Amino acid sequence: MSRTLLHVALVAALLIAIGALGVIMRGGETSAAQPLHGVGLAKGCNSPIAIGQLYTCDVVTINNVDSAGDTLTITSIVDVVHAGAGDQTSANLLPGLSHILSGGATCSVGQLICTLPAGSSITTASQYGFYYAQASDPNPLPDTIHLTWQDLCTSLALNCPKTDQMATAGSSARLQSPTPSLTATPTSTITPISGTTTPTPLRQLKSCDPGETATNVGPGPVCNLFICQAPAACAGPGEGDLIVIEHVDSVATVPDTLGLGAYEFNVEFDSAVIESLNPADIIFSAGSASAGVAPATSGGYPAGFRGVPDCSLTIPFENAVRFVCVTDSPNAGPAGSFDLASLDLVPAADDVQALFPGNDNGIPTLIKDNQCRLTDVLGYPVENAGAGLLPTCGDVFVSIRILEADLNLDCVVDLQDEAAIAMRYGAYLGSALYDKWYDLEPRFHDGDIDLKDLQKVFGRDGSTCQNPIPAQTPVAPQFDLSG
């Protein structure tokens, strides 16, 4: 090739390269000019853990990657443990978590929605968990957190996402076999005894209204308490009020026991969301004893046991009730396992102001027992109760909520609810017919009542508090309730 042709070829190649570089640079300028949207999410789980141990984790959400500086909200945190028996999925954990808020982050009443201005973060103050590791699980045991978040577009950027967004993060834990007890008898010296079972320990536990037993899930009893303001319609369990049963196991039946003669327990609650507890005796009240209470005779009690209860010594406090019942029996009282007392939980009138009939609504609250004490008819602690205080005095976790799409609060979605929202179709923020009570979709309200809101109601036709469509599972606590 001649020097002239070589010179021309080099110049042409250089011009092409410069042109390509210009295209790349222009592309970079166009990309950098557009705001980027997103959220920072990280999680870490305890490792190693023993098989049978609660799988616990921490999670942090940070608004530090949205280049527009938008304020973000989060409305759901769902955890999935990828177990040997298949994925184990939690309920929405957000309302039940204990959070550390920094940089201006805030959460609504009941933690149904949390808001993160630019640079802020939300970190779990204590670890959460809902799944107990099993021998059949993979090792290490993987776990994924799913975050639902929204961009409020406070920067007014034109490319903001307008719908719910998802973010995920993962962790895992190494599994170990449980540590053998140092006092365990070697298996070679154990002689099985036919027909024997491990005795149930002396304890007092709570359970939900028998009609709600199907919703008792998670590491302890959990219940729904649905807001219901139509007395003629609110007849089902957990509609308008909730009955919680205090149950006792294994009051001693050994020879010479004097059985139960008196009991007391202290119930703590949040008076901002629970108006009253209304404790009532069961075991000593007429007609409530069962034949299964041993030693059993007529009515479930030994002959001559009068057992007339005096529960007038009950002491109410602002956020607690000490419930105490004594009897005037000269004979041995009931023993074995039985329902001891009941609580009738009534929600505070202001709860409805903090809720609305949209997705995943609810105010989770703990009804906590302590100082459970049982004595025999002579005032001595019942056997195996130490100084009279039971080693186990269990709690219950209650989700105060509204049936989704139940606009008139009668615990059923029907024509009345459909007519109520149809009348407001097309209303928007600022118009006379607009009311955020009917602005059901999305969960943080979008300022209008449109097709999505109508379908939220019409699509749930026939839903009731006893059989919600879709299921409204009570929020599971992130701690053990059997202490």
Side-chain angles (χ1 to χ4, degrees), residues 424 427-428 431-440 445 449:
R424 290 166 174 79
Y428 55 88
S431 67
L433 283 178
Y434 178 80
D435 187 328
K436 67 178 182 180
W437 180 262
Y438 302 88
D439 189 356
L440 305 178
H445 308 300
I449 299 169

Side-chain angles (χ1 to χ4, degrees), residues 328-363:
D328 61 356
S329 173
N331 300 98
S337 299
F338 45 80
D339 292 340
L340 185 70
S342 67
L343 307 174
D344 186 0
L345 277 57
V346 177
D350 288 344
D351 288 350
V352 71
Q353 305 301 321
L355 299 171
F356 85 113
N359 287 11
D360 301 325
N361 71 82
I363 305 173

Side-chain angles (χ1 to χ4, degrees), residues 17-341:
I18 293 173
L21 180 61
V23 170
I24 294 173
M25 291 179 64
R26 285 195 298 273
E29 291 170 355
T30 301
S31 174
Q34 298 301 312
L36 305 177
H37 303 280
V39 65
L41 178 67
K43 76 168 301 183
C45 299
N46 271 348
S47 182
I49 60 172
I51 293 171
Q53 183 179 345
L54 184 65
Y55 190 10
T56 57
C57 306
D58 283 304
V59 64
V60 58
T61 307
I62 311 174
N63 184 358
N64 64 347
V65 297
D66 193 298
S67 67
D70 286 338
T71 296
L72 310 180
T73 55
I74 59 176
T75 52
S76 176
I77 296 177
V78 173
D79 197 82
V80 180
V81 178
H82 305 291
D87 285 353
Q88 305 297 307
T89 303
S90 74
N92 180 9
L93 300 173
L94 181 62
L97 293 177
S98 175
H99 292 302
I100 297 173
L101 307 175
S102 62
T106 59
C107 290
S108 66
V109 174
Q111 294 184 175
L112 301 180
I113 182 170
C114 295
T115 303
L116 291 87
S120 65
S121 66
I122 298 177
T123 307
T124 46
S126 57
Q127 292 191 322
Y128 68 88
F130 73 100
Y131 178 76
Y132 291 83
Q134 306 295 315
S136 60
D137 288 337
N139 193 4
L141 177 57
D143 177 280
T144 305
I145 198 79
H146 296 259
L147 178 78
T148 303
W149 63 278
Q150 300 80 29
D151 191 323
L152 298 188
C153 200
T154 49
S155 66
L156 303 182
L158 297 180
N159 66 343
C160 286
K162 301 297 184 181
T163 58
D164 285 357
Q165 303 296 303
M166 297 296 299
T168 62
S171 186
S172 66
R174 289 279 178 183
L175 303 184
Q176 296 179 336
S177 298
T179 303
S181 171
L182 297 178
T183 60
T185 305
T187 55
S188 59
T189 66
I190 295 176
T191 302
I193 301 175
S194 177
T196 61
T197 58
T198 303
T200 303
L202 179 62
R203 61 188 183 179
Q204 181 172 328
L205 299 174
K206 287 187 174 67
S207 64
C208 304
D209 186 309
E212 289 204 344
T213 53
T215 67
N216 292 354
V217 296
V222 296
C223 316
N224 274 331
L225 170 49
F226 285 99
I227 302 291
C228 190
Q229 296 182 347
C234 307
E239 297 180 4
D241 68 331
L242 175 71
I243 302 297
V244 172
I245 305 298
E246 300 274 353
H247 181 84
V248 168
D249 281 328
S250 298
V251 176
T253 58
V254 298
D256 302 323
T257 182
L258 294 175
L260 181 67
Y263 65 87
E264 71 174 353
F265 55 89
N266 200 67
V267 188
E268 298 176 1
F269 64 101
D270 185 352
S271 60
V273 295
I274 297 292
E275 179 180 291
S276 59
L277 291 176
N278 308 300
D281 172 73
I282 290 179
I283 186 59
F284 296 125
S285 297
S288 60
S290 71
V293 177
T297 59
S298 176
Y301 294 101
F305 183 83
R306 297 198 300 272
V308 177
D310 180 1
C311 304
S312 63
L313 299 176
T314 296
I315 304 174
F317 301 96
E318 182 179 3
N319 289 293
V321 172
R322 179 174 295 173
F323 187 58
V324 55
C325 285
V326 298
T327 62
D328 61 356
S329 173
N331 300 98
S337 299
F338 45 80
D339 292 340
L340 185 70

